[in-house]
């Protein structure tokens, strides 16, 4: 599975990290974005979607329903 994914990615993206949940994927993406240049780090989130219950994942969500639950 990893080889299939990396074979279809740009050459600069040559590794895969599997997670147990969307929350872990979201938190991992946020950490990865922080390792780059601060001005270039941008996060994209889907409107009216659930990205996880951690503080980081909740901070990305635009839907007040999920943020107010916590």
């Amino acid at each position: 599975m990893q080889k299939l994914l990396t074979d279809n990615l740009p050459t600069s993206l040559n590794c895969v990290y599997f997670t147990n949940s969307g929350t872990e994927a979201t938190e991992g993406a946020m950490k990865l974005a922080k390792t780059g240049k601060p001005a270039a780090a941008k996060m994209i989130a889907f409107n009216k979607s659930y990205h996880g219950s951690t503080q980081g994942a909740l901070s990305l969500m635009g839907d007040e329903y999920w943020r107010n639950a916590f």
Side-chain angles (χ1 to χ4, degrees), residues 1-18:
M1 178 62 84
Q2 292 175 340
K3 179 146 177 40
L4 178 63
L5 288 171
T6 56
D7 286 348
N8 289 288
L9 291 171
T11 55
S12 62
L13 301 174
N14 58 6
C15 66
V16 177
Y17 179 71
F18 290 104

Side-chain angles (χ1 to χ4, degrees), residues 48-66:
K48 298 190 180 198
S49 295
Y50 180 75
H51 298 296
S53 298
T54 61
Q55 185 175 0
L58 287 170
S59 70
L60 292 176
M61 285 191 262
D63 194 337
E64 292 290 327
Y65 173 81
W66 293 112

Side-chain angles (χ1 to χ4, degrees), residues 20-44:
N20 291 324
S21 67
T23 299
E24 287 182 357
T26 301
E27 293 288 329
M30 292 174 72
K31 289 177 185 175
L32 185 60
K34 288 173 63 174
T35 63
K37 296 177 182 175
K42 296 180 181 177
M43 297 297 296
I44 297 172

